Amino acid sequence: MRRKVIAGNWKMNMHPGEAIAYIEKFQDLVKDTENEVILCVPFVDLMYCIPMVQETNIHIGAQNMHFEEKGAFTGEVSPAMLQAINCEYVIIGHSERRQYFNETDETVNKKLKAAFEYGIKPIVCVGESLEQREAGKAEEIITTQTRLALDGLSNDQVKATIIAYEPIWAIGTGKTATSEDANDAIKAIRNEIRRIYGDEVAEEVIIQYGGSVKSSNAKELFTTSDIDGGLVGGASLKPDEFSLIVNYDKE
Ligand code: PGA
């Protein structure tokens, strides 16, 4: 049985004071869960959040990084820097980065390799646009993105990668994929991994759903055969609401 991994993606929200207040409240609300809980926070919050969660079951991640160790890349943060502050996770290739910051399958792949080189666990995002879905190309897009993202990784590295399937049309729109459609898309991703890396890797790899997950739909999504948790944007900004999503399997 794969574990459930539920990650919050705060995006460009929450300054340090807000982050500290959030974690002070949130840690008690999720302390009894067996699901893995991750908060992916802005860079400026990392140094406050990482020490705060040491004695808790909360894990902290960044939302992006560069693939080079250091150098003349003004405004960027390197994997070596994230490693130095014990940042455990990093989101790679979120659709907003692909759309607004020119991330490509190639940079996503380089970042994934860099994450493993520096011991940071990657959450890599794939997903189709509405146009691509309506043209019947969703499966082709997401399996290709998955294959290119993982290219050149070892079987053990693929097993340790978390993949988030996030249909772009469902992000921040209030439109959620039906649990059946999301599960089918995730099965297609898992089968692509099976084709390339074999059964054992495919059965172990964690694949989340993301796109307007909230407390009212989390249970339906997370109890399907292949959805192993979620990457949650808007609904992760309030500790009460996000804790209900983390605790979807409690009464
Ligand atoms: P949303 O965002 O939950 O606000 O739709 C999800 C994401 O972009 O990770």
Side-chain angles (χ1 to χ4, degrees):
M1 265 281 278
R2 291 182 297 270
R3 70 195 193 283
K4 299 285 183 196
V5 181
I6 299 165
N9 172 14
W10 285 356
K11 308 193 179 183
M12 199 172 70
N13 295 290
M14 312 281 266
H15 57 62
E18 293 170 318
I20 292 166
Y22 182 111
I23 291 176
E24 274 168 359
K25 180 163 186 195
F26 184 63
Q27 58 190 5
D28 283 336
L29 300 173
V30 296
K31 66 179 183 345
D32 296 324
T33 186
E34 274 159 26
N35 304 321
E36 186 168 342
V37 192
I38 306 169
L39 292 173
C40 296
V41 308
F43 287 128
V44 296
D45 295 342
L46 287 170
M47 293 283 285
Y48 297 92
C49 295
I50 292 167
M52 267 190 98
V53 302
Q54 286 318 302
E55 309 287 307
T56 76
N57 58 343
I58 300 168
H59 304 258
I60 299 291
Q63 299 171 7
N64 177 41
M65 63 175 201
H66 200 276
F67 48 82
E68 293 286 352
E69 182 195 349
K70 60 182 175 182
F73 299 101
T74 302
E76 290 292 305
V77 169
S78 81
M81 292 169 182
L82 294 182
Q83 181 190 48
I85 60 166
N86 296 318
C87 180
E88 190 178 348
Y89 281 96
V90 64
I91 299 176
I92 291 174
H94 189 279
S95 63
E96 287 151 16
R97 304 242 21 122
R98 295 181 191 249
Q99 261 180 293
Y100 309 135
F101 303 97
N102 301 322
E103 293 253 0
T104 62
D105 290 323
E106 193 189 342
T107 58
V108 168
N109 179 248
K110 282 187 181 169
K111 289 180 180 194
L112 211 51
K113 287 177 177 155
F116 281 112
E117 197 176 322
Y118 289 90
I120 306 161
K121 301 174 190 164
I123 302 174
V124 62
C125 303
V126 300
E128 82 284 359
S129 66
L130 187 57
E131 212 180 7
Q132 291 164 335
R133 168 155 288 252
E134 284 172 349
K137 294 214 168 104
E139 192 171 314
E140 183 192 325
I141 297 288
I142 58 180
T143 54
T144 303
Q145 285 177 343
T146 303
R147 178 165 48 76
L148 296 176
L150 302 176
D151 187 47
L153 296 187
S154 69
N155 280 19
D156 282 343
Q157 289 173 333
V158 175
K159 268 189 214 171
T161 300
I162 295 176
I163 297 170
Y165 166 61
E166 300 204 306
I168 296 168
W169 48 271
I171 295 178
T173 57
K175 283 188 206 151
T176 320
T178 64
S179 56
E180 208 186 327
D181 283 351
N183 196 45
D184 284 348
I186 286 174
K187 272 190 195 158
I189 293 169
R190 201 178 297 287
N191 282 333
E192 180 70 357
I193 292 173
R194 192 184 318 280
R195 188 178 70 75
I196 305 169
Y197 301 94
D199 272 336
E200 193 194 321
V201 177
E203 288 310 316
E204 264 188 56
V205 68
I206 298 288
I207 312 180
Q208 301 171 314
Y209 167 78
S212 299
V213 174
K214 36 192 183 278
S215 59
S216 56
N217 59 23
K219 186 168 186 175
E220 193 191 330
L221 288 159
F222 300 167
T223 49
T224 53
S225 65
D226 279 68
I227 303 180
D228 303 322
L231 182 57
V232 185
S236 74
L237 293 174
K238 298 235 159 62
D240 287 311
E241 170 67 5
F242 191 42
S243 72
L244 290 174
I245 297 173
V246 169
N247 293 321
Y248 77 92
D249 49 352
K250 300 239 183 311
E251 275 319 301

